[in-house]
Amino acid sequence: MGVKTEQLLEVRHLSKTFPGLKALDDVSLEVAPGEIVALVGQNGSGKSTLVKVLAGVHQPDPGAEIALGEEGRAGLHFIHQDLGLVGMLSTIENFDLGRGLGRGALLPAPVHDEARHAEELVAGFGARIDVEVPVDRLSAAERTIVAIARALDGWEHDRNVLVLDEPTASLHGEEVEKLFTAVRRVAARGAGVVFISHRLDEVMELADRVICLRDGRLIADVARGEYDHDDLVELIAGEALTAAEEVAPRAHGGPVLRARGIGAATIVAMDLDLHAGEILGVSGVLGSGREELAGVLFGATPGEVASLEIGGTPVGRLDPRRAIAAGVAYVPGDRRREGAVMRLSARENMTLPRLRPLRRAFGRLDQRAERREVDGWVERVAVRPAEPERALDLFSGGNQQKVVLAKWLRNEPKALLMDEPTQGVDVGAKAGIYELIANAAAAGAGILVCSSDAKELALICDRVLVMRDGAVVAEVERSRLSEAGLVRAGLGGAVASGQTSERS
Ligand SMILES: Nc1ncnc2c1ncn2[C@@H]1O[C@H](COP(=O)(O)OP(=O)(O)OP(=O)(O)O)[C@@H](O)[C@H]1O
Ligand SMILES: [Mg+2]
């Protein structure tokens, strides 16, 4: 501390050692006023650890110097990977927390004004959110918007650094554009921005400079113009990746899941047929119904399904326990809330959904077989570090996601319902996960992939349903699939390429 600097943020010789692991190794970097810096690197390379040290969540190893602006006057504002909202509180109350005590803490709050203010802030991102319900009841994407709006609310001056840890993981094209507009606006006013993302087209679009970490070391610090998309892939993956192979079309069997009259808060009335061996995508902007669909079918999200058949057998409305028993698996968009138990080990998380049937069959678990099998999955989805006994909380975000995916894939479900399956997964590991999804389909599972990432859907799906305002507005077969077409259709345009040129 105490260094004088023209920069808004200057970090020198920052290391961070966790028991048995050096997460950051002698990292030095700076952020100038008005500059947007992208921080990239593989899952587990140390990005979030760097952010958490800056935020004071982690104490750095001795010897680090961190300077904030002239005379330390710059402020840091964070949007963490897990957003840092208090689930039981409403959007309004979360905004209050963000401001700290003071205004409104003792005085009875002018409720109407606060609600209006909060609504205006989230409306700036094109979202209509009930600002008075607990944020726990909002979708992952809506909570992201609340967190972003909160971080941008009420800056006293512009000598700030805004740090965003994967803010776009659950946002669709249009919302991403709104976020980028907001980010550019604060940078234009002189703030610095540090921005973590695995979506390299976003990095290409937004960043003035890219800093890449690998195994905790800073391996590149390059200005815009000095790199192209392929260079970034190579920096991150450590080698040039061959383009992810397109999934070959598969023969489809009969429907593994037939649902009629699906309804939910954002879904009006929808039918769905998912076939054995099929990878069916669902695209759409925030609020289109895309984020609720998988959860409603599985019975984890409030809603209704007038009639539902699994493997040709009518089942009533599912709840998660009955869904699992019927052979339906669900990878939720919000792993913290529904997908995983953070305190348990990766191994325990991966064996959780199977515990019951195994116990019933053998009286107790065959621990050694279980252990071997989990080790195999840790290898297959490339969990790093490959230590199944570690608590899930101690893995990086992308590696937690791999554990959640493995847990469901290893159950060989009839129908696998996924929401944002590769959120937070780095470019290298993504290809491996697509391959596992394709293998599961080839083995006969029907797979539903709801995703805000149109590129991902265009790459892996046999067919994609585009949702808007709670209903399917387009159905696109593999031969006509394109990223741009999906984005266009989600916004109300035509699927076929042509006239318009919206940016994705
Ligand atoms: N509290 C902790 N205790 C022990 N190890 C930790 C802790 N937090 C993170 N790690 C380890 O530190 C390394 C860096 O993790 P970090 O979360 O910074 O990665 P990341 O670059 O943000 O990855 P991702 O892209 O997956 O989010 C990982 O190996 C992770 O397992
Ligand atoms: Mg991270």
Side-chain angles (χ1 to χ4, degrees):
M1 298 276 170
V3 186
K4 245 192 140 177
T5 175
E6 307 275 291
Q7 309 282 353
L8 284 182
L9 171 66
E10 195 166 332
V11 172
R12 292 280 161 252
H13 307 299
L14 171 58
S15 296
K16 173 66 197 173
T17 310
F18 292 118
L21 184 130
K22 197 153 197 181
L24 291 172
D25 188 356
D26 196 22
V27 169
S28 297
L29 57 87
E30 60 274 329
V31 179
E35 196 180 32
I36 302 175
V37 178
L39 183 59
V40 301
Q42 281 176 30
N43 294 135
S45 56
K47 304 179 298 296
S48 295
T49 302
L50 175 59
V51 169
K52 286 181 185 159
V53 169
L54 293 177
V57 175
H58 293 316
Q59 198 58 34
D61 294 352
E65 293 177 44
I66 300 173
L68 274 175
E70 309 146 45
E71 293 137 35
R73 279 195 313 120
L76 286 164
H77 293 249
F78 296 92
I79 299 172
H80 290 289
Q81 196 160 13
D82 52 14
L83 300 182
L85 298 173
V86 181
M88 276 155 44
L89 300 183
S90 71
T91 298
I92 301 176
E93 290 160 333
N94 270 285
F95 281 175
D96 280 343
L97 281 183
R99 280 181 215 119
L101 295 178
R103 186 172 81 89
L106 301 173
L107 302 169
V111 176
H112 286 301
D113 290 356
E114 291 222 5
R116 241 218 345 263
H117 177 66
E119 273 162 10
E120 277 168 14
L121 278 172
V122 296
F125 294 93
R128 255 179 329 197
I129 292 174
D130 184 343
V131 296
E132 293 179 32
V133 304
V135 294
D136 251 352
R137 293 212 223 131
L138 304 178
S139 74
E142 287 171 333
R143 284 201 306 279
T144 304
I145 287 176
V146 171
I148 292 164
R150 180 178 72 171
L152 294 176
D153 178 34
W155 286 17
E156 277 161 25
H157 56 77
D158 292 322
R159 306 281 92 175
N160 286 319
V161 179
L162 177 65
V163 183
L164 306 107
D165 194 349
E166 282 189 68
T168 61
S170 60
L171 301 184
H172 188 83
E174 200 183 0
E175 297 119 40
V176 171
E177 277 309 319
K178 290 199 174 105
L179 169 63
F180 283 7
T181 305
V183 164
R184 289 199 185 94
R185 206 184 303 141
V186 298
R189 284 180 1 203
V193 177
V194 177
F195 170 72
I196 297 178
S197 177
H198 291 290
R199 296 185 180 179
L200 298 187
D201 37 358
E202 293 178 355
V203 173
M204 288 301 296
E205 182 180 337
L206 195 64
D208 299 315
R209 193 149 59 81
V210 174
I211 291 176
C212 182
L213 298 181
R214 189 183 301 160
D215 298 331
R217 279 186 305 274
L218 190 152
I219 59 155
D221 187 338
V222 282
R224 175 191 279 275
E226 293 172 11
Y227 55 85
D228 63 18
H229 187 277
D230 290 350
D231 295 333
L232 291 183
V233 172
E234 201 166 332
L235 270 179
I236 294 167
E239 57 187 300
L241 286 181
T242 45
E245 253 175 71
E246 285 218 6
V247 175
R250 277 166 303 278
H252 300 159
V256 288
L257 185 150
R258 267 172 74 91
R260 294 291 172 270
I262 308 165
T266 58
I267 301 175
V268 181
M270 181 178 165
D271 299 339
L272 184 98
D273 286 317
L274 176 65
H275 301 91
E278 178 181 44
I279 303 178
L280 173 61
V282 178
S283 184
V285 301
L286 175 62
S288 63
R290 182 251 308 159
E291 327 96 82
E292 282 196 305
L293 181 61
V296 171
L297 290 171
F298 187 73
T301 303
E304 65 208 48
V305 184
S307 90
L308 182 64
E309 288 177 17
I310 307 293
T313 310
V315 294
R317 167 118 171 85
L318 295 177
D319 58 54
R321 204 169 45 83
R322 296 185 53 219
I324 294 167
V328 180
Y330 171 52
V331 176
D334 182 353
R335 62 178 169 262
R336 277 198 167 259
R337 210 164 36 151
E338 314 170 277
V341 186
M342 290 305 188
R343 292 214 168 138
L344 296 185
S345 68
R347 178 186 310 284
E348 287 163 314
N349 269 282
M350 285 163 74
T351 49
L352 265 184
R354 254 239 292 248
L355 234 43
R356 212 173 268 272
L358 272 182
R359 276 247 170 79
R360 219 176 284 138
F362 306 119
R364 63 186 195 81
L365 286 169
D366 179 350
Q367 290 200 348
R368 263 202 302 176
E370 188 83 49
R371 204 162 277 268
R372 263 198 312 274
E373 206 206 315
V374 165
D375 291 346
W377 277 101
V378 163
E379 190 56 40
R380 259 188 274 180
V381 296
V383 175
R384 295 288 175 268
E387 289 170 19
E389 309 311 333
R390 244 173 192 264
L392 201 60
D393 238 341
L394 304 187
F395 284 94
S396 77
N399 283 298
Q400 291 168 4
Q401 183 69 13
K402 295 180 204 169
V403 170
V404 173
L405 278 170
K407 132 175 164 179
W408 291 114
L409 282 168
R410 73 184 278 269
N411 275 291
E412 298 175 356
K414 286 197 194 98
L416 176 55
L417 315 175
M418 302 198 276
D419 209 6
E420 307 290 354
T422 60
Q423 58 174 315
V425 172
D426 70 54
V427 302
K430 246 184 202 175
I433 285 172
Y434 293 154
E435 200 181 309
L436 289 170
I437 291 174
N439 290 346
I447 299 184
L448 186 75
V449 182
C450 304
S451 175
S452 58
D453 185 346
K455 180 184 280 168
E456 166 168 289
L457 294 175
L459 186 70
I460 67 171
C461 293
D462 300 305
R463 181 164 69 102
V464 176
L465 305 176
V466 181
M467 294 187 73
R468 208 151 67 83
D469 300 332
V472 175
V473 293
E475 178 173 343
V476 193
E477 294 298 330
R478 160 117 224 119
S479 58
R480 291 164 63 223
L481 269 179
S482 75
E483 180 186 0
L486 291 179
V487 171
R488 239 185 338 259
L491 297 175
V495 174
S497 63
Q499 342 71 332
T500 52
S501 60
E502 286 111 329
R503 302 238 315 270
S504 62

mmCIF file of all heavy atoms in Angstrom, residues 47-48 81 165-166 396-398, ligand 2:
data_model
loop_
_atom_site.group_PDB
_atom_site.id
_atom_site.type_symbol
_atom_site.label_atom_id
_atom_site.label_comp_id
_atom_site.label_asym_id
_atom_site.label_seq_id
_atom_site.Cartn_x
_atom_site.Cartn_y
_atom_site.Cartn_z
ATOM 1 N N LYS A 47 -8.496 -16.077 -11.727
ATOM 2 C CA LYS A 47 -9.188 -14.808 -11.990
ATOM 3 C C LYS A 47 -10.036 -14.355 -10.799
ATOM 4 O O LYS A 47 -9.921 -13.221 -10.337
ATOM 5 C CB LYS A 47 -10.080 -14.946 -13.246
ATOM 6 C CG LYS A 47 -9.317 -15.411 -14.484
ATOM 7 C CD LYS A 47 -10.220 -15.553 -15.693
ATOM 8 C CE LYS A 47 -11.320 -16.588 -15.536
ATOM 9 N NZ LYS A 47 -10.868 -17.965 -15.379
ATOM 10 N N SER A 48 -10.905 -15.245 -10.316
ATOM 11 C CA SER A 48 -11.777 -14.851 -9.198
ATOM 12 C C SER A 48 -10.972 -14.628 -7.926
ATOM 13 O O SER A 48 -11.327 -13.791 -7.098
ATOM 14 C CB SER A 48 -12.845 -15.919 -8.946
ATOM 15 O OG SER A 48 -13.720 -16.020 -10.049
ATOM 16 N N GLN A 81 -18.659 -13.417 -9.037
ATOM 17 C CA GLN A 81 -19.164 -14.517 -9.846
ATOM 18 C C GLN A 81 -20.478 -15.044 -9.255
ATOM 19 O O GLN A 81 -21.372 -15.424 -9.975
ATOM 20 C CB GLN A 81 -18.112 -15.630 -9.882
ATOM 21 C CG GLN A 81 -18.329 -16.649 -10.967
ATOM 22 C CD GLN A 81 -17.056 -17.434 -11.275
ATOM 23 O OE1 GLN A 81 -16.079 -17.386 -10.527
ATOM 24 N NE2 GLN A 81 -17.072 -18.150 -12.380
ATOM 25 N N ASP A 165 -17.043 -10.041 -12.506
ATOM 26 C CA ASP A 165 -16.584 -11.427 -12.647
ATOM 27 C C ASP A 165 -17.659 -12.227 -13.381
ATOM 28 O O ASP A 165 -18.675 -12.585 -12.798
ATOM 29 C CB ASP A 165 -16.298 -12.030 -11.268
ATOM 30 C CG ASP A 165 -15.514 -13.337 -11.360
ATOM 31 O OD1 ASP A 165 -15.382 -13.882 -12.478
ATOM 32 O OD2 ASP A 165 -15.038 -13.802 -10.309
ATOM 33 N N GLU A 166 -17.464 -12.460 -14.658
ATOM 34 C CA GLU A 166 -18.403 -13.191 -15.512
ATOM 35 C C GLU A 166 -19.841 -12.700 -15.403
ATOM 36 O O GLU A 166 -20.744 -13.471 -15.095
ATOM 37 C CB GLU A 166 -18.371 -14.678 -15.189
ATOM 38 C CG GLU A 166 -17.169 -15.357 -15.795
ATOM 39 C CD GLU A 166 -17.271 -16.854 -15.647
ATOM 40 O OE1 GLU A 166 -18.152 -17.432 -16.293
ATOM 41 O OE2 GLU A 166 -16.487 -17.418 -14.887
ATOM 42 N N SER A 396 -12.991 -23.582 -8.545
ATOM 43 C CA SER A 396 -13.357 -22.379 -9.298
ATOM 44 C C SER A 396 -14.737 -22.587 -9.915
ATOM 45 O O SER A 396 -15.227 -23.714 -10.007
ATOM 46 C CB SER A 396 -12.318 -22.114 -10.391
ATOM 47 O OG SER A 396 -12.504 -22.997 -11.479
ATOM 48 N N GLY A 397 -15.360 -21.479 -10.332
ATOM 49 C CA GLY A 397 -16.734 -21.525 -10.839
ATOM 50 C C GLY A 397 -16.924 -22.535 -11.967
ATOM 51 O O GLY A 397 -17.866 -23.332 -11.964
ATOM 52 N N GLY A 398 -16.040 -22.518 -12.935
ATOM 53 C CA GLY A 398 -16.171 -23.411 -14.082
ATOM 54 C C GLY A 398 -16.023 -24.868 -13.676
ATOM 55 O O GLY A 398 -16.683 -25.757 -14.217
HETATM 56 MG MG MG B 2 -13.941 -17.539 -11.417
#
